[in-house]
Each structure stands twice: as structure tokens, then as C-alpha cells.
């Protein structure tokens, strides 16, 4: 168990569908602490870096184009084992296969237009937070509910 920070992007489909607040609320209600939050217009350059692992895929450019159709909201979320917890909450990539109750299972029907991006490992979380946030945009504030969110042997 470790206190972790992870990156979430609310994708353009989420902003367009006017459910950004609803999705942020899911993370808040789960108990994740919002340490950073901002709206950004992504560029081909940052997306080429962010999605470098998809560079050989036929849909690479299409995915990048989709991510530039409107701004995104970037979140830095913190919690115990937050990286895996947020991935589990997001559900698998293809919304059609995602279990009901997950974000993708509840809010989308698409492989591509799948509501959120979430970091998938401690290494990618660190690299992605650095990619989308300046150090001074991440706030280590005191979450006064912390002792009600975890037992004292969980962190
Ligand atoms: P995830 O976002 O679940 O970590 P990937 O890193 O594999 O998944 O892919 C990044 C994004 O690229 C996905 O969230 C999705 O928007 C898009 N994508 C991935 N695979 C496909 C696919 N087969 N068809 C369409 N879009 C895809």
C-alpha cells in the first residue's frame, strides 16, 4: 500500500457531453483527493508523446485528432493505491465491454470516446503528471477527512 498520485484526463467527449462535473464528482465521492485540476487545449506534439505507445496503430492520428477537438480537464488525484483504484474505476478501454458501475461502463459505448484517460503504472503516472502539470500546479493540501477514509494501517 502506498499513497500515490495519478493523472486523469477528462477527454473532449466528456466536456462536450457536459458530464465533466459528474465524473469529477465520482472521483471525489470515492475519496480521492484532488491535488491538481486545470483545463487545457492539447496539441499534436503533447499527444504524440502521451500516446507514443500507440504510434504504430492505424488509429494513432485519429485518436490524437479526437483529443484535440475540444479542451480536456486534467486532474491530479491522490489516494492509497490511487493508480490501480482509478484504473479499476475507469474500467477497460472499450466502453462496450466495461462493467456497469465503472465510469466507461456507465457513460460510454465507444473504444475511442471513452470519457477518461488514467495512468496505468507508477512510472507512467510520474511521467504523465510531469507532462501535464507544472510543480506549482499540484497542491499538497491537508484533506481533513483522511482519517475517515482509511484505517491507520492503510497508509
Ligand atoms: P487506455 O486509455 O485504456 O489506457 P490505451 O493506452 O491502449 O488505453 O489507448 C489510449 C486511447 O486510445 C484509449 O483510451 C482510446 O481512446 C484509444 N484507443 C485505444 N485502442 C483503440 C482501438 N482499438 N480503437 C479505437 N480507439 C482506441
Amino acid at each position: 500500500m502506498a499513497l500515490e498520485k495519478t493523472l486523469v484526463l477528462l477527454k473532449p467527449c466528456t466536456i462536450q457531453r457536459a458530464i465533466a462535473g459528474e465524473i469529477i464528482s465520482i472521483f471525489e465521492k470515492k475519496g480521492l483527493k484532488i491535488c491538481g485540476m486545470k483545463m487545457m487545449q492539447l496539441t499534436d506534439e503533447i499527444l504524440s508523446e502521451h500516446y507514443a505507445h500507440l504510434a504504430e496503430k492505424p488509429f494513432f492520428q485519429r485518436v490524437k485528432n479526437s483529443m484535440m477537438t475540444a479542451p480536456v480537464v486534467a486532474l491530479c488525484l491522490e489516494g492509497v493505491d490511487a493508480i490501480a483504484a482509478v484504473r479499476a474505476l475507469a474500467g477497460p478501454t472499450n466502453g462496450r465491454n466495461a462493467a456497469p458501475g465503472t465510469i466507461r461502463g456507465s457513460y460510454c459505448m465507444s473504444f475511442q470516446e471513452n470519457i477518461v484517460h488514467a495512468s496505468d503504472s507508477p512510472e507512467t503516472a510520474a511521467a504523465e503528471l510531469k507532462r501535464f502539470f507544472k510543480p506549482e500546479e499540484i497542491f499538497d493540501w491537508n484533506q481533513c477527512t483522511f482519517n475517515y477514509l482509511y484505517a491507520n494501517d492503510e497508509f
Side-chain angles (χ1 to χ4, degrees):
M1 287 180 289
L3 196 58
E4 295 174 336
K5 286 186 173 68
T6 189
L7 176 89
V8 166
L9 298 176
L10 305 185
K11 296 188 176 188
C13 57
T14 306
I15 310 305
Q16 289 289 6
R17 290 173 55 193
I19 54 172
E22 220 165 296
I23 304 300
I24 292 167
S25 182
I26 291 170
F27 293 122
E28 287 186 299
K29 287 185 207 163
K30 177 74 172 168
L32 291 151
K33 172 177 158 186
I34 301 176
C35 293
M37 178 159 65
K38 64 172 175 176
M39 188 172 242
M40 308 169 74
Q41 174 61 52
L42 301 185
T43 61
D44 196 77
E45 193 186 357
I46 196 168
L47 286 164
S48 294
E49 201 182 296
H50 184 63
Y51 285 140
H53 61 289
L54 301 178
E56 305 307 319
K57 302 281 187 193
F59 51 81
F60 181 50
Q61 192 60 47
R62 195 190 66 196
V63 168
K64 291 194 293 172
N65 289 345
S66 156
M67 291 292 285
M68 293 188 281
T69 57
V72 300
V73 171
L75 298 166
C76 170
L77 299 177
E78 186 183 81
V80 173
D81 299 339
I83 298 164
V86 169
R87 287 285 290 189
L89 199 52
T93 311
N94 183 347
R96 291 189 292 280
N97 298 337
T102 62
I103 291 172
R104 287 164 171 171
S106 301
Y107 286 91
C108 73
M109 285 293 288
S110 172
F111 217 137
Q112 177 177 288
E113 304 301 318
N114 58 2
I115 312 298
V116 288
H117 165 81
S119 305
D120 64 3
S121 71
E123 295 69 35
T124 50
E128 291 178 352
L129 285 168
K130 210 169 155 196
R131 182 172 302 137
F132 290 96
F133 285 96
K134 297 183 187 132
E136 64 269 26
E137 292 172 332
I138 293 181
F139 300 89
D140 282 311
W141 54 283
N142 180 34
Q143 189 182 25
C144 64
T145 53
F146 194 80
N147 290 330
Y148 296 92
L149 292 168
Y150 303 103
N152 60 13
D153 67 348
E154 287 182 302
F155 51 86

